[in-house]
Amino acid sequence: LLPNKQQQQHNHTKRNETKSMTMTSINNNQTTMKEFKTILDALITSLTFASSAMKATCTQVVNELSMEEMEIAASTSYVYWWLSKKQLKNNEDAECVKNARHAMAMRECRRHCIGEGGDYQKTLLAIKEAMAYRIEFDLDSLRACTEFAGDPNYPSETLLKDKENDDEPISLAALREMIVDELVNKQAMVVRGHGKEQQAILYKHPRTVPTKETNIL
């Protein structure tokens, strides 16, 4: 069920092209819908399958998802998620957006399909469990707190609850502060050079502060 080397190289190239176009758009406040459509089309064309059987199984599974589940599945793609929150709010029904949403949901389904050996029922159960997990732990807020904290056009509160404060909702700003505190004061990181594609190689030290949950250093 795994894609061959040629397909893997194709996927890698498409991801890099899409990433490049997206970063250009993020840094360009004058980006037009036409340019975003180009990025969405790149997301769609980057999707490949190892076999027609896998594609058919994923199509069947995605067709069983609710619109909310499909949106959450599509949002596992950072590019789609960023565009949907930042630029596509008023264009959710545009054909290119619908196609990109479906393609990214199919991509998320593909990894579950591979993990479940191509079995339809197991793949459907796996992706539904994964989407429920993303909702329960509000994984999107972990992204949003670094990008949208303080943005008046984005909800200021997350779905997460503060257990030490009567289950009050945790704000995006507070979540960002918690993450920064964790990274800076409790689990230091060191940049140890760069990879072949110039990505930073990070080494994370073990936690230096005990917690109630672990009670370890």
Side-chain angles (χ1 to χ4, degrees), residues 72-106:
I72 295 171
S75 293
T76 57
S77 160
Y78 181 84
V79 175
Y80 175 84
W81 172 82
W82 188 90
L83 290 176
S84 68
K85 301 303 181 187
K86 197 76 171 180
Q87 298 291 341
L88 305 178
K89 289 183 178 180
N90 299 322
N91 300 281
E92 294 179 351
D93 295 326
E95 196 65 24
C96 62
V97 178
K98 289 181 179 179
N99 291 339
R101 181 186 301 122
H102 185 269
M104 293 301 94
M106 287 281 283

Side-chain angles (χ1 to χ4, degrees), residues 193-215:
H194 295 81
K196 293 181 180 179
E197 298 180 8
Q198 298 305 306
Q199 71 274 33
I201 298 175
L202 300 180
Y203 171 72
K204 289 178 67 67
H205 288 279
R207 288 177 59 87
T208 56
V209 178
T211 66
K212 292 180 181 180
E213 290 77 12
T214 61
N215 196 31

Side-chain angles (χ1 to χ4, degrees), residues 69-139:
E69 289 171 329
M70 186 180 296
E71 179 66 25
I72 295 171
S75 293
T76 57
S77 160
Y78 181 84
V79 175
Y80 175 84
W81 172 82
W82 188 90
L83 290 176
S84 68
K85 301 303 181 187
K86 197 76 171 180
Q87 298 291 341
L88 305 178
K89 289 183 178 180
N90 299 322
N91 300 281
E92 294 179 351
D93 295 326
E95 196 65 24
C96 62
V97 178
K98 289 181 179 179
N99 291 339
R101 181 186 301 122
H102 185 269
M104 293 301 94
M106 287 281 283
R107 191 182 76 170
E108 171 66 7
C109 184
R110 181 184 61 188
R111 76 179 184 89
H112 293 290
C113 187
I114 293 172
E116 299 300 338
D119 184 275
Y120 162 73
Q121 289 293 348
K122 290 181 178 179
T123 300
L124 179 60
L125 178 62
I127 193 171
K128 281 183 171 289
E129 287 180 344
M131 298 308 98
Y133 179 91
R134 293 187 69 86
I135 294 173
E136 180 181 358
F137 293 97
D138 196 11
L139 298 191

Side-chain angles (χ1 to χ4, degrees), residues 8 22 24 29 39-40 51 68 70 84 89-90 114-115 137 139 144 152 159 162 214:
Q8 290 175 338
T22 304
T24 299
N29 292 328
I39 297 174
L40 293 176
S51 68
E68 180 186 19
M70 186 180 296
S84 68
K89 289 183 178 180
N90 299 322
I114 293 172
F137 293 97
L139 298 191
L159 299 179
D162 187 346
T214 61

